[in-house]
Amino acid sequence: MKHYDFIVVGAGIFGVTAALALRQRKYMVGLLNPGDIPHPLAASTDISKAVRMEYGADLEYMDMVEEAIDGWQAWNEQFGDTLYHEAGFLMLCKHEADRQTFEWSSYRNLIRKGYRPEHLDDAAIRQRFPAFASGAYREAFFNPRAGFAESGRVVRTLLAYAAELGVDVHPRHTASRFECTGGRLTAVHTLEGGRFDTGQAVVCAGAYTPYLLPELKPFMKSTGHPVFHIKPRRPDLFTIPNLPVFAADISNTGWYGFPLHPREGVVKIANHGIGLEIDPDHDERVVTAADMRAFREFLRENMPALAEDPVVFTRRCLYSDTLDGHFWIDRHPEITGLTVAAGGSGHALKMAPALGDMIATVAEGGDHRWAARHRWRVLKPETRQVEEARYKKY
Ligand SMILES: Cc1cc2nc3c(=O)[nH]c(=O)nc-3n(C[C@H](O)[C@H](O)[C@H](O)COP(=O)(O)OP(=O)(O)OC[C@H]3O[C@@H](n4cnc5c(N)ncnc54)[C@H](O)[C@@H]3O)c2cc1C
């Protein structure tokens, strides 16, 4: 039986970047995931995810994404493929600017870091971004150093690279039990009858993490969020540069979206709100009639050219949602050799180029400049989400 230095449980973006980073540190690594990889139900399996430095007053996330964007461009070069599209990021504001908003704080912090985002009034929005209804937004901020990543293709590309470097990829294996001796991990068992001999494992099971490790249930839950793909009758209005990645008064509505997808030919729009609590194994993951009504209303008011166009795909995608919205990356306090890396809380994909190094360092017992806020912590039930872009209508 092969002995692994590390078994990584889950091959979404947390798992694949962790496996790659650990293998680059010369460990013998095995990667487990149910079914095929990328798994169709994984949060990381998607046509696009936003990459933005805009995090309101939060400079640490802004720094992390700033470094990640260099990583995204390096991956484009390394793999000779445009996995990350630098389409820019547009923050639209409905209300007379209260200077303490997510948008204004992000704008000020970008300037503090030496960027020159544009501040647009209603007329400039109409002229530059004709997809939005005239007068729907009072002002906006446009930052060209941002865009979207084709996340499903990113996972597929990194997985192939990891395998090339010697990671043993084990699809159709679902971790079900951690075998321990004297509080120390000795093996990972799977539902499919596998036993993987190892002294160390990293659990990157996304929304399933609190179900695999119930001790995390008080601090992390699985929440479902609606996603819509719409086929525009006037694609010209929605292509870059007419439409970049956008946040439509996001902290007050949750709505955000993407330009026409270069491969799929659709406009993806989703809602970054509190979502619905979902048991990933038992509950349906569907977009409701109420979601669809809210979506159509949003379009009618703000993007009328899309209001009657056909929705060709919907999905309720799951966040691995910590109560405070920070990730969960730390060694298990009671099981020696077990590390958890999850809790993406709807905003981790953009950090992918920086994630692997952080997870591998923490799994080795080291410290990392961004690890502190993601460490194991006790969160009270009344803890609130802190990520400023998130629409928090509790
Ligand atoms: C609707 C939506 C929109 C989002 N938009 C953005 C965005 O615009 N920008 C951004 O930065 N982030 C965004 N995110 C967040 C981002 O997608 C996630 O934070 C990230 O993809 C989480 O990665 P993960 O590896 O933790 O989880 P996942 O990608 O879900 O991967 C977990 C993997 O673990 C596997 N697994 C589960 N249980 C087991 C087990 N027992 N054994 C083995 N394997 C197991 C699953 O099959 C899966 O492959 C969004 C998320 C959603 C849901």
Side-chain angles (χ1 to χ4, degrees), residues 51 64-79 81 83-84 86 145 154 158 350-354:
V51 177
M64 217 172 151
V65 183
E66 186 180 37
E67 182 174 307
I69 290 178
D70 293 340
W72 283 114
Q73 283 167 335
W75 278 348
N76 278 359
E77 212 160 301
Q78 176 184 351
F79 299 114
D81 189 359
L83 298 168
Y84 163 68
E86 192 137 291
R145 186 135 172 88
V154 171
L158 295 178
K350 62 177 76 62
M351 315 288 181

Side-chain angles (χ1 to χ4, degrees), residues 20 24 47 53 90 92 95-96 101-102 107 143 163 173 198 208 217 241 244 282 303-304 316 332 347 349 360:
L20 195 49
Q24 284 164 331
I47 62 170
M53 282 192 274
L90 179 70
L92 296 142
H95 310 292
E96 187 57 42
T101 58
F102 157 71
Y107 174 64
N143 169 23
H173 273 285
T198 184
Y208 289 83
K217 278 208 166 149
H282 301 105
M303 303 180 86
R316 186 173 289 281
H332 195 290
H347 67 110
L349 198 284

Side-chain angles (χ1 to χ4, degrees), residues 2 31 33 49 51 120 137 153 159 184 199 228 258 282:
K2 193 169 188 172
L31 177 60
N33 204 92
K49 301 282 186 186
V51 177
L120 309 165
Y137 297 99
R153 285 199 325 111
L159 187 76
R184 176 176 288 281
F228 306 85
F258 300 82
H282 301 105

Side-chain angles (χ1 to χ4, degrees), residues 9-15 32-34 38-39 41-46 48-51 55 173-176 204-208 212 223 225-227 256 258 268 270-271 317-320 341-351:
V9 172
I13 203 68
F14 277 67
L32 316 182
N33 204 92
H39 193 281
L41 293 178
S44 308
T45 308
D46 205 337
S48 56
K49 301 282 186 186
V51 177
Y55 267 87
H173 273 285
T174 314
S176 57
C204 306
Y208 289 83
L212 194 52
T223 56
H225 303 262
V227 176
Y256 68 101
F258 300 82
K268 170 188 161 184
N271 196 282
C317 171
L318 303 187
Y319 291 3
S320 165
S345 304
H347 67 110
L349 198 284
K350 62 177 76 62
M351 315 288 181

Side-chain angles (χ1 to χ4, degrees), residues 160-392:
Y161 182 50
E164 207 183 290
L165 293 186
V167 170
D168 282 357
V169 180
H170 298 280
R172 286 172 286 289
H173 273 285
T174 314
S176 57
R177 185 167 64 84
F178 299 100
E179 179 193 303
C180 295
T181 310
R184 176 176 288 281
L185 184 76
T186 48
V188 178
H189 292 255
T190 69
L191 286 180
E192 296 79 4
R195 180 185 183 280
F196 294 86
D197 193 65
T198 184
Q200 304 189 83
V202 186
V203 175
C204 306
Y208 289 83
T209 305
Y211 295 83
L212 194 52
L213 297 169
E215 58 272 37
L216 285 170
K217 278 208 166 149
F219 316 128
M220 185 191 290
K221 50 189 175 179
S222 152
T223 56
H225 303 262
V227 176
F228 306 85
H229 293 181
I230 197 159
K231 191 103 182 141
R233 272 173 292 194
R234 288 200 49 200
D236 56 307
L237 276 180
F238 306 99
T239 46
I240 304 166
N242 287 340
L243 186 68
V245 178
F246 67 90
D249 192 25
I250 191 169
S251 59
N252 296 312
T253 69
W255 294 113
Y256 68 101
F258 300 82
L260 188 76
H261 195 278
R263 271 161 241 285
E264 308 294 332
V266 295
V267 172
K268 170 188 161 184
I269 296 176
N271 196 282
H272 187 44
I274 288 301
L276 287 180
E277 198 158 338
I278 295 254
D279 174 334
D281 279 323
H282 301 105
D283 294 343
E284 270 202 313
R285 308 175 186 204
V286 291
V287 162
T288 63
D291 292 323
M292 190 59 84
R293 275 195 302 278
F295 177 54
R296 287 288 182 198
E297 195 184 320
F298 164 73
L299 293 178
R300 269 192 298 276
E301 276 174 26
N302 303 290
M303 303 180 86
L306 276 180
E308 305 312 322
D309 287 349
V311 169
V312 291
F313 172 80
T314 61
R315 171 188 188 194
R316 186 173 289 281
C317 171
L318 303 187
Y319 291 3
S320 165
D321 225 351
T322 61
L323 298 189
D324 58 8
H326 295 310
F327 312 149
W328 201 281
I329 301 175
D330 205 353
R331 288 178 147 191
H332 195 290
E334 274 145 36
I335 305 174
T336 308
L338 196 65
T339 297
V340 175
S345 304
H347 67 110
L349 198 284
K350 62 177 76 62
M351 315 288 181
L355 272 181
D357 177 51
M358 179 155 69
I359 299 169
T361 303
V362 168
E364 288 177 324
D367 207 355
H368 189 282
R369 65 188 178 287
W370 290 317
R373 57 170 44 170
H374 309 293
R375 291 280 184 188
W376 203 285
R377 52 204 184 275
V378 175
L379 299 172
K380 297 199 178 79
E382 63 275 17
T383 303
R384 288 284 185 254
Q385 290 282 339
V386 297
E387 201 246 312
E388 290 183 38
R390 189 127 178 213
Y391 173 41
K392 307 174 190 78

